[in-house]
Amino acid sequence: MAIRIDGKELAAQCRAETAERVAALRARGITPGLAVVLVGDDPASQIYVRNKEKACAEVGIRSFPVLFPSGTTQEQLLETIDQLNANENVHGILVQLPLPKQIDKNAVLERILPQKDADGFHPIHAGRLLNGEDTVVPCTPRGVLRMLKSAGVPLRGKEAVVVGRSAIVGRPMAALLLREDCTVTICHSRTEDLAAHTRRADILVAACGQPQLITGEMVKPGAAVIDVGIHRVDGHLVGDVDAASVEPVAGWLSPVPGGVGPMTIAMLLQNTVEAAEHALS
Ligand code: NDP
């Protein structure tokens, strides 16, 4: 039976570490601040934003919610980003995705000053990460790596397979695992014979947005399986992994809920505090 990698418990530890760093900054007269920009009235996004604000408050980070109606123009949004870039009380900025279709997401993400980019989505960070340099790492892959390390999963020289190639999860995840000396394969919707790849994985990260796509017969016995997906199916939350069939085969498995989700928010807080620390140095 797989060892459960409890993201909820680890996230609580991470938040406690972050709260100490916030207290140290406050003692030096700096309160870290995170601006959370939301455009439109998508209910899921509203919940994410509220959760992020709540998590900030718990560790002593000041949040600056910026709410725009769905008809907002790109110029209005860019103007706000410029103001937040110039605001010295704001150390981190995140723009909740997805954005309405009249707005060019890349133009907005690239307008955020890289040193204030709490999500690490700026192409400068993506490039540095790919070069194996230290930089702001997107929250979800950063959380996944922390989960693997805290569980003591061996990484160096191991086969890692990432299912999904999005700019916010799959690609940075692969780059991070490469930085940890894994041998990395990235799979996607055009991959032929997905199972042939996943069965070779010592570390398997499922981030494909397909409910329970990864089943027990696709997993190498003893592998570490991290489930990034989150879906509501028949009133229940499930991931991209079919936990019931994978649990008897895998060596480690992260649950849904209580796995990657809480770690993503914990890493957002950490990125924000690090931005404030860098602003001081
Ligand atoms: P995207 O939809 O942006 O990307 C999904 C990726 O999976 C794409 O690269 C796609 O390939 C690939 N894919 C789709 N179907 C298959 C398939 N049948 N076989 C192999 N690959 C496939 O999703 P995200 O990366 O944003 O998110 C992935 C999942 O993680 C989602 O379930 C999302 O809800 C969840 N998520 C959870 C977070 C958390 O904090 N827990 C945070 C962020 C995301 P292609 O490129 O060819 O289209």
Side-chain angles (χ1 to χ4, degrees), residues 206-222:
C208 50
Q210 304 295 318
Q212 298 172 310
L213 179 76
I214 306 296
T215 55
E217 57 279 16
M218 298 169 76
V219 171
K220 179 177 178 179

Side-chain angles (χ1 to χ4, degrees), residues 140 163-166 168-170 187-191 194 206-210 213 228-231 240 260-261 264:
T140 301
V163 186
R165 58 175 165 180
S166 73
I168 62 173
V169 187
C187 300
H188 46 79
S189 68
R190 311 288 169 168
T191 296
L194 178 64
C208 50
Q210 304 295 318
L213 179 76
V228 178
I230 183 138
H231 316 271
D240 289 346
V260 175
T264 295

Side-chain angles (χ1 to χ4, degrees), residues 124-133 135 171-172 174-176 178-179:
I124 281 205
H125 298 305
R128 286 189 189 143
L129 185 60
L130 210 52
N131 281 349
E133 296 168 33
T135 196
R171 286 170 199 259
L176 266 186
L178 186 59
R179 208 168 74 175

Side-chain angles (χ1 to χ4, degrees), residues 6 71 145 149 204 208 218 241:
D6 189 335
L145 184 62
K149 286 189 168 179
L204 177 59
C208 50
M218 298 169 76
V241 172

